[in-house]
Amino acid sequence: MPALRLTDRRLRLSWLPLCLVAVAPLSAQEHAHDPGMKIEGGGTLPAGWTARPDEGGKLTDIKFEGMAPGWHATLGSAAIIYRAADQVIMPYTVTSKIQLFPGSGDHAEAFGVFIGGQALDGAAQQYTYFLIRGDGTWKIKQRNGANADDVTKGWQASPAIVQSKAGGPVANTDQVAVEATKVHFRVNGTEVWSGPVANTSGIAGLRLNHNLSLHVETLEVKR
């Protein structure tokens, strides 16, 4: 086999950076989220409420306003929204009925409730959150600082979840019941998972992802 000339080597090597450049965006696109929608009139909340956007988000990306019955939320950034008064130790239950409106996102986004909120205004924030999506799936996760890890494996389907529809809003009721030895997670009265969960004492509230329009009819924290 004839040896490669210097010009041949340069030609072949010159393709390598081009290949890497071409591949990188494809890999990034597989995990990319659609950009947050523009929110008009965001940045203020009703008295007693606090919102913490996810990293990279701003308070002005969140519109959360009183609207009987309950509150309406429009989100360009994922966030937790809570009342400092909703700080509890077990046993207790957190129940929220939430209507999901047809959205503009290119992929399914999740919403639900969280428990065990600690240090929510700092880098060491902690909480466990129970999410559902309009495609009829659910997941339980835990946040510790910058890390968010799955408690349950992946998104799991449940026939108890009312799936979204193009014609109008649909309502689901999430409930987390905290007992001494385990925590029960329910949708519309059906238990989807139960088991031990660490650090359940603390603030309870809402966990809402970006590009969603939601009406929170109720948020009840019962000790």
Side-chain angles (χ1 to χ4, degrees):
M1 178 178 180
L4 287 173
R5 294 174 297 174
L6 182 59
T7 54
D8 293 333
R9 288 176 181 163
R10 286 176 177 168
L11 181 61
R12 294 192 180 187
L13 289 173
S14 68
W15 281 95
L16 183 57
L18 294 175
C19 293
L20 293 176
V21 169
V23 170
L26 294 176
S27 176
Q29 288 170 8
E30 290 177 359
H31 303 93
H33 291 298
D34 49 315
M37 61 184 178
K38 185 177 180 181
I39 304 298
E40 295 185 4
T44 60
L45 290 92
W49 287 90
T50 301
R52 175 172 179 163
D54 279 4
E55 184 177 357
K58 304 185 297 291
L59 189 59
T60 52
D61 295 330
I62 299 163
K63 188 174 183 180
F64 187 76
E65 57 187 335
M67 186 181 296
W71 310 267
H72 197 87
T74 313
L75 299 109
S77 170
I80 53 172
I81 303 176
Y82 59 91
R83 300 170 292 204
D86 289 331
Q87 181 151 341
V88 285
I89 58 174
M90 61 91 177
Y92 64 89
T93 60
V94 180
T95 308
S96 185
K97 183 177 181 180
I98 303 175
Q99 294 184 37
L100 172 65
F101 284 73
S104 59
D106 292 334
H107 62 288
E109 283 297 344
F111 58 95
V113 296
F114 75 86
I115 62 168
Q118 299 280 352
L120 297 180
D121 58 350
Q125 61 173 328
Q126 295 182 10
Y127 55 88
T128 298
Y129 50 119
F130 177 36
L131 300 172
I132 65 172
R133 300 194 301 194
D135 62 359
T137 59
W138 62 272
K139 178 189 277 192
I140 302 165
K141 302 187 73 172
Q142 281 186 328
R143 176 172 290 280
N144 289 285
N147 299 319
D149 301 313
D150 288 356
V151 175
T152 55
K153 187 177 180 180
W155 290 99
Q156 301 184 40
S158 171
I161 300 172
V162 181
Q163 297 189 33
S164 60
K165 60 182 181 180
V170 297
N172 286 279
T173 300
D174 289 359
Q175 184 181 76
V176 181
V178 180
E179 299 178 350
T181 58
K182 66 171 58 176
V183 181
H184 303 267
F185 297 84
R186 305 177 180 123
V187 181
N188 299 322
T190 298
E191 185 166 293
V192 295
W193 189 84
S194 67
V197 174
N199 304 323
T200 56
S201 295
I203 292 175
L206 302 165
R207 168 70 200 190
L208 311 175
N209 282 1
H210 80 309
N211 286 356
L212 290 175
S213 177
L214 304 162
H215 191 80
V216 181
E217 286 191 35
T218 60
L219 176 63
E220 299 175 346
V221 181
K222 292 186 177 181
R223 299 161 178 83

Coordinates of all heavy atoms in Angstrom, one line a residue, residues 11-76:
L11 N -5.3 16.6 4.3 CA -6.7 16.6 3.8 C -7.6 15.7 4.6 O -8.7 16.1 5.0 CB -6.7 16.1 2.3 CG -8.1 16.0 1.6 CD1 -8.7 17.4 1.6 CD2 -8.0 15.4 0.2
R12 N -7.1 14.5 5.0 CA -7.9 13.6 5.8 C -8.1 14.2 7.2 O -9.2 14.1 7.8 CB -7.3 12.2 5.8 CG -7.3 11.6 4.5 CD -7.0 10.1 4.6 NE -7.0 9.5 3.2 CZ -6.8 8.2 3.0 NH1 -6.7 7.4 4.1 NH2 -6.9 7.7 1.8
L13 N -7.0 14.7 7.8 CA -7.1 15.2 9.2 C -8.0 16.5 9.2 O -8.7 16.7 10.2 CB -5.7 15.6 9.7 CG -4.8 14.4 10.0 CD1 -3.4 14.9 10.4 CD2 -5.4 13.6 11.2
S14 N -8.1 17.2 8.1 CA -8.9 18.4 8.1 C -10.4 18.1 8.2 O -11.2 18.9 8.6 CB -8.7 19.2 6.8 OG -9.2 18.5 5.7
W15 N -10.8 16.8 7.9 CA -12.2 16.4 8.0 C -12.6 16.2 9.4 O -13.8 16.2 9.8 CB -12.4 15.1 7.2 CG -12.6 15.4 5.7 CD1 -11.6 15.3 4.8 CD2 -13.8 15.8 5.0 NE1 -12.1 15.7 3.5 CE2 -13.4 16.0 3.7 CE3 -15.1 16.1 5.5 CZ2 -14.4 16.4 2.7 CZ3 -16.0 16.5 4.5 CH2 -15.7 16.6 3.2
L16 N -11.6 15.8 10.3 CA -12.0 15.4 11.7 C -12.7 16.5 12.4 O -13.8 16.3 13.0 CB -10.7 15.0 12.4 CG -10.9 14.5 13.9 CD1 -11.9 13.3 13.9 CD2 -9.6 14.1 14.5
P17 N -12.2 17.8 12.5 CA -12.9 18.8 13.2 C -14.3 19.1 12.7 O -15.3 19.3 13.4 CB -12.1 20.1 13.1 CG -10.7 19.5 12.8 CD -10.9 18.3 12.0
L18 N -14.4 18.9 11.3 CA -15.7 19.2 10.7 C -16.7 18.1 11.1 O -17.9 18.4 11.4 CB -15.6 19.1 9.2 CG -14.8 20.3 8.6 CD1 -14.6 20.1 7.1 CD2 -15.4 21.6 8.9
C19 N -16.2 16.8 11.2 CA -17.1 15.8 11.7 C -17.6 16.0 13.1 O -18.7 15.8 13.5 CB -16.4 14.4 11.6 SG -16.1 13.9 9.9
L20 N -16.6 16.4 14.0 CA -17.0 16.6 15.4 C -18.0 17.8 15.5 O -18.9 17.7 16.3 CB -15.7 17.0 16.2 CG -14.7 15.8 16.3 CD1 -13.5 16.3 17.1 CD2 -15.4 14.6 17.1
V21 N -17.8 18.8 14.7 CA -18.7 20.0 14.7 C -20.1 19.5 14.3 O -21.1 19.9 14.8 CB -18.2 21.1 13.9 CG1 -19.2 22.2 13.7 CG2 -16.9 21.7 14.5
A22 N -20.1 18.7 13.3 CA -21.4 18.2 12.8 C -22.2 17.3 13.7 O -23.4 17.4 13.8 CB -21.2 17.5 11.4
V23 N -21.4 16.5 14.5 CA -22.1 15.6 15.4 C -22.5 16.2 16.7 O -23.6 15.9 17.2 CB -21.1 14.4 15.8 CG1 -21.6 13.6 16.9 CG2 -20.8 13.6 14.5
A24 N -21.8 17.2 17.2 CA -22.1 17.8 18.5 C -23.5 18.4 18.6 O -24.2 18.1 19.5 CB -21.1 18.9 18.9
P25 N -24.0 19.2 17.6 CA -25.3 19.7 17.7 C -26.4 18.7 17.8 O -27.4 18.8 18.4 CB -25.4 20.6 16.5 CG -24.0 20.9 16.1 CD -23.3 19.7 16.4
L26 N -26.2 17.5 17.1 CA -27.2 16.5 17.1 C -27.3 15.9 18.5 O -28.4 15.6 18.9 CB -26.8 15.4 16.1 CG -26.8 15.8 14.6 CD1 -26.3 14.6 13.7 CD2 -28.2 16.2 14.2
S27 N -26.2 15.7 19.1 CA -26.2 15.1 20.5 C -26.9 16.1 21.4 O -27.7 15.7 22.3 CB -24.8 14.9 21.0 OG -24.8 14.5 22.3
A28 N -26.6 17.4 21.3 CA -27.2 18.4 22.1 C -28.7 18.5 21.9 O -29.5 18.7 22.8 CB -26.6 19.8 21.8
Q29 N -29.2 18.3 20.6 CA -30.6 18.4 20.3 C -31.4 17.3 21.0 O -32.6 17.5 21.3 CB -30.8 18.4 18.8 CG -30.3 19.7 18.1 CD -30.3 19.6 16.6 OE1 -30.8 18.6 16.1 NE2 -29.7 20.5 16.0
E30 N -30.8 16.2 21.2 CA -31.5 15.1 21.8 C -32.0 15.4 23.2 O -33.0 14.8 23.6 CB -30.6 13.8 21.8 CG -30.4 13.2 20.4 CD -29.4 12.0 20.5 OE1 -29.0 11.7 21.6 OE2 -29.2 11.4 19.4
H31 N -31.2 16.2 23.9 CA -31.6 16.6 25.3 C -32.0 18.0 25.4 O -32.2 18.5 26.5 CB -30.3 16.3 26.1 CG -29.8 14.9 26.1 ND1 -28.9 14.5 25.2 CD2 -30.2 13.8 26.7 CE1 -28.6 13.2 25.3 NE2 -29.4 12.8 26.3
A32 N -32.3 18.7 24.3 CA -32.6 20.1 24.4 C -34.1 20.3 24.7 O -34.9 19.5 24.3 CB -32.3 20.8 23.1
H33 N -34.4 21.3 25.4 CA -35.8 21.7 25.7 C -36.2 22.9 24.9 O -35.3 23.7 24.5 CB -36.0 22.0 27.2 CG -35.8 20.9 28.1 ND1 -36.7 19.8 28.1 CD2 -34.9 20.6 29.1 CE1 -36.3 18.9 29.0 NE2 -35.3 19.4 29.6
D34 N -37.4 23.0 24.6 CA -37.9 24.2 23.8 C -37.7 25.4 24.7 O -37.8 25.3 25.9 CB -39.3 24.0 23.3 CG -40.3 23.6 24.4 OD1 -39.9 22.7 25.2 OD2 -41.3 24.2 24.5
P35 N -37.4 26.6 24.1 CA -37.2 27.8 24.9 C -38.4 28.2 25.7 O -39.5 27.9 25.3 CB -36.8 28.8 23.9 CG -37.3 28.3 22.6 CD -37.3 26.8 22.7
G36 N -38.2 28.9 26.8 CA -39.3 29.3 27.6 C -40.1 30.4 26.9 O -39.6 31.3 26.3
M37 N -41.4 30.3 27.0 CA -42.3 31.2 26.4 C -42.2 32.6 27.1 O -41.9 32.7 28.3 CB -43.7 30.7 26.3 CG -44.4 30.5 27.6 SD -46.0 29.7 27.4 CE -46.5 29.4 29.1
K38 N -42.5 33.6 26.4 CA -42.5 35.0 26.9 C -43.7 35.2 27.8 O -44.8 34.9 27.4 CB -42.4 36.0 25.8 CG -42.3 37.4 26.3 CD -42.2 38.4 25.1 CE -42.0 39.8 25.7 NZ -41.9 40.8 24.5
I39 N -43.4 35.7 29.0 CA -44.5 36.0 30.0 C -44.7 37.5 30.1 O -43.7 38.2 30.4 CB -44.1 35.3 31.4 CG1 -43.8 33.8 31.2 CG2 -45.2 35.6 32.4 CD1 -45.0 33.0 30.7
E40 N -45.9 37.9 30.0 CA -46.2 39.3 30.2 C -46.8 39.5 31.6 O -47.7 38.7 32.0 CB -47.2 39.8 29.1 CG -46.6 39.8 27.7 CD -47.6 40.4 26.7 OE1 -48.7 40.8 27.1 OE2 -47.3 40.3 25.5
G41 N -46.4 40.5 32.3 CA -46.9 40.8 33.6 C -46.4 39.8 34.7 O -47.0 39.7 35.8
G42 N -45.3 39.2 34.5 CA -44.8 38.3 35.5 C -43.9 39.0 36.5 O -43.7 40.2 36.4
G43 N -43.5 38.3 37.6 CA -42.6 38.8 38.6 C -43.3 39.2 39.9 O -42.5 39.5 40.8
T44 N -44.6 39.2 40.0 CA -45.2 39.5 41.3 C -46.1 38.3 41.7 O -46.7 37.6 40.8 CB -46.1 40.8 41.2 OG1 -47.1 40.6 40.2 CG2 -45.2 42.0 40.8
L45 N -46.3 38.1 43.0 CA -47.1 37.0 43.5 C -48.0 37.6 44.5 O -47.8 38.6 45.2 CB -46.2 35.9 44.1 CG -45.3 35.1 43.1 CD1 -44.0 35.8 42.9 CD2 -45.2 33.7 43.6
P46 N -49.1 36.8 44.8 CA -50.0 37.2 45.9 C -49.3 37.2 47.2 O -48.3 36.5 47.4 CB -51.1 36.1 45.8 CG -51.0 35.5 44.5 CD -49.6 35.6 44.1
A47 N -49.8 38.0 48.2 CA -49.2 38.1 49.5 C -49.1 36.7 50.1 O -50.0 35.8 50.1 CB -50.1 38.9 50.4
G48 N -47.9 36.4 50.7 CA -47.7 35.2 51.4 C -47.0 34.1 50.5 O -46.6 33.0 51.0
W49 N -46.9 34.3 49.2 CA -46.4 33.4 48.3 C -44.9 33.7 47.9 O -44.6 34.9 47.8 CB -47.2 33.3 47.0 CG -48.5 32.6 47.2 CD1 -49.7 33.2 47.6 CD2 -48.8 31.2 47.1 NE1 -50.7 32.2 47.7 CE2 -50.2 31.0 47.4 CE3 -48.0 30.1 46.7 CZ2 -50.8 29.8 47.3 CZ3 -48.6 28.8 46.7 CH2 -50.0 28.7 47.0
T50 N -44.1 32.7 47.7 CA -42.8 32.8 47.2 C -42.5 31.9 46.0 O -43.1 30.8 46.0 CB -41.7 32.5 48.3 OG1 -41.9 33.3 49.4 CG2 -40.3 32.6 47.8
A51 N -41.8 32.4 45.0 CA -41.4 31.5 43.9 C -39.9 31.5 43.8 O -39.2 32.5 43.9 CB -42.0 32.0 42.6
R52 N -39.4 30.3 43.5 CA -38.0 30.2 43.2 C -37.8 29.5 41.8 O -38.1 28.3 41.6 CB -37.2 29.3 44.2 CG -35.8 29.1 43.8 CD -34.9 28.4 44.8 NE -33.6 28.2 44.3 CZ -32.5 28.0 45.1 NH1 -32.7 27.9 46.4 NH2 -31.3 27.8 44.5
P53 N -37.4 30.3 40.8 CA -37.2 29.7 39.5 C -36.0 28.7 39.5 O -35.1 28.9 40.3 CB -36.9 30.9 38.6 CG -37.3 32.1 39.4 CD -37.1 31.7 40.8
D54 N -36.0 27.8 38.6 CA -34.8 26.9 38.4 C -33.6 27.8 37.9 O -33.8 28.9 37.4 CB -35.1 25.8 37.4 CG -35.8 24.7 38.0 OD1 -36.2 24.7 39.2 OD2 -36.1 23.7 37.3
E55 N -32.4 27.2 38.0 CA -31.2 27.9 37.6 C -31.4 28.4 36.1 O -31.8 27.7 35.3 CB -30.0 27.0 37.7 CG -28.7 27.7 37.3 CD -27.5 26.8 37.5 OE1 -27.7 25.7 38.0 OE2 -26.4 27.3 37.2
G56 N -31.1 29.7 35.9 CA -31.2 30.3 34.6 C -32.5 31.0 34.4 O -32.7 31.8 33.4
G57 N -33.5 30.7 35.3 CA -34.8 31.4 35.1 C -34.8 32.7 36.0 O -34.0 32.9 36.8
K58 N -35.9 33.5 35.7 CA -36.0 34.7 36.4 C -37.5 34.8 37.0 O -38.4 34.2 36.4 CB -35.8 35.9 35.5 CG -34.4 35.9 34.8 CD -34.2 37.2 34.0 CE -35.2 37.4 32.9 NZ -35.0 36.4 31.8
L59 N -37.6 35.6 38.0 CA -38.9 35.7 38.6 C -39.9 36.3 37.6 O -41.1 36.0 37.6 CB -38.9 36.6 39.9 CG -40.1 36.7 40.7 CD1 -40.5 35.3 41.2 CD2 -39.9 37.6 41.9
T60 N -39.4 37.2 36.7 CA -40.3 37.7 35.7 C -40.8 36.7 34.7 O -41.6 37.0 33.8 CB -39.6 38.9 35.0 OG1 -38.3 38.5 34.5 CG2 -39.4 40.1 35.9
D61 N -40.2 35.5 34.7 CA -40.6 34.4 33.8 C -41.8 33.7 34.4 O -42.3 32.7 33.8 CB -39.5 33.4 33.6 CG -38.3 34.0 32.9 OD1 -38.5 34.9 32.1 OD2 -37.2 33.5 33.1
I62 N -42.3 34.1 35.5 CA -43.4 33.4 36.2 C -44.5 34.4 36.5 O -44.3 35.5 37.1 CB -42.9 32.9 37.6 CG1 -41.8 31.8 37.3 CG2 -44.0 32.2 38.4 CD1 -41.0 31.5 38.6
K63 N -45.7 34.0 36.1 CA -46.9 34.8 36.4 C -47.8 33.9 37.3 O -48.3 32.8 36.8 CB -47.7 35.3 35.2 CG -48.8 36.2 35.5 CD -49.4 36.8 34.2 CE -50.5 37.8 34.5 NZ -51.1 38.3 33.2
F64 N -48.1 34.3 38.5 CA -48.9 33.5 39.4 C -49.8 34.5 40.1 O -49.4 35.4 40.9 CB -48.0 32.8 40.4 CG -48.7 31.8 41.4 CD1 -49.1 30.6 40.9 CD2 -49.0 32.2 42.7 CE1 -49.8 29.7 41.7 CE2 -49.6 31.3 43.5 CZ -50.0 30.0 43.0
E65 N -51.1 34.4 39.9 CA -52.0 35.4 40.4 C -53.3 34.7 40.9 O -53.7 33.7 40.5 CB -52.4 36.3 39.2 CG -53.0 35.7 38.0 CD -53.2 36.6 36.8 OE1 -53.4 37.8 37.1 OE2 -53.2 36.1 35.7
G66 N -53.9 35.4 41.9 CA -55.2 34.9 42.4 C -56.3 35.0 41.4 O -56.4 36.0 40.7
M67 N -57.0 33.9 41.3 CA -58.1 33.8 40.3 C -59.1 32.8 40.8 O -58.8 31.6 40.7 CB -57.6 33.5 38.9 CG -58.6 33.5 37.8 SD -57.9 33.1 36.2 CE -56.7 34.4 35.9
A68 N -60.2 33.2 41.4 CA -61.1 32.3 42.0 C -61.7 31.3 41.1 O -62.0 31.7 39.9 CB -62.2 33.1 42.7
P69 N -61.8 30.0 41.4 CA -61.3 29.5 42.7 C -59.8 29.1 42.6 O -59.4 28.3 41.7 CB -62.1 28.2 42.9 CG -62.4 27.7 41.5 CD -62.5 29.0 40.7
G70 N -58.9 29.7 43.4 CA -57.5 29.3 43.4 C -56.6 30.4 42.8 O -56.8 31.6 42.9
W71 N -55.7 29.9 41.9 CA -54.6 30.7 41.4 C -54.4 30.2 39.9 O -54.4 29.1 39.6 CB -53.4 30.7 42.2 CG -53.6 30.9 43.6 CD1 -53.5 32.1 44.3 CD2 -53.9 29.9 44.6 NE1 -53.7 31.9 45.6 CE2 -54.0 30.6 45.8 CE3 -54.2 28.5 44.6 CZ2 -54.3 29.9 47.0 CZ3 -54.5 27.9 45.7 CH2 -54.6 28.6 46.9
H72 N -54.0 31.2 39.1 CA -53.6 30.8 37.7 C -52.1 31.0 37.6 O -51.5 32.0 38.0 CB -54.3 31.5 36.7 CG -54.2 30.9 35.3 ND1 -55.1 29.9 34.9 CD2 -53.3 31.0 34.3 CE1 -54.8 29.5 33.7 NE2 -53.7 30.1 33.3
A73 N -51.4 30.0 37.0 CA -49.9 30.1 36.8 C -49.6 30.0 35.3 O -50.1 29.1 34.6 CB -49.3 29.0 37.6
T74 N -48.8 30.9 34.8 CA -48.2 30.8 33.5 C -46.7 30.9 33.6 O -46.2 31.8 34.2 CB -48.7 32.0 32.6 OG1 -50.2 32.1 32.8 CG2 -48.4 31.7 31.1
L75 N -46.0 29.9 33.0 CA -44.6 29.8 33.4 C -43.7 29.7 32.1 O -43.9 28.9 31.2 CB -44.4 28.5 34.2 CG -45.1 28.5 35.5 CD1 -46.2 27.5 35.5 CD2 -44.2 28.2 36.7
G76 N -42.7 30.6 32.1 CA -41.7 30.6 31.1 C -40.5 29.9 31.7 O -39.5 29.6 30.9

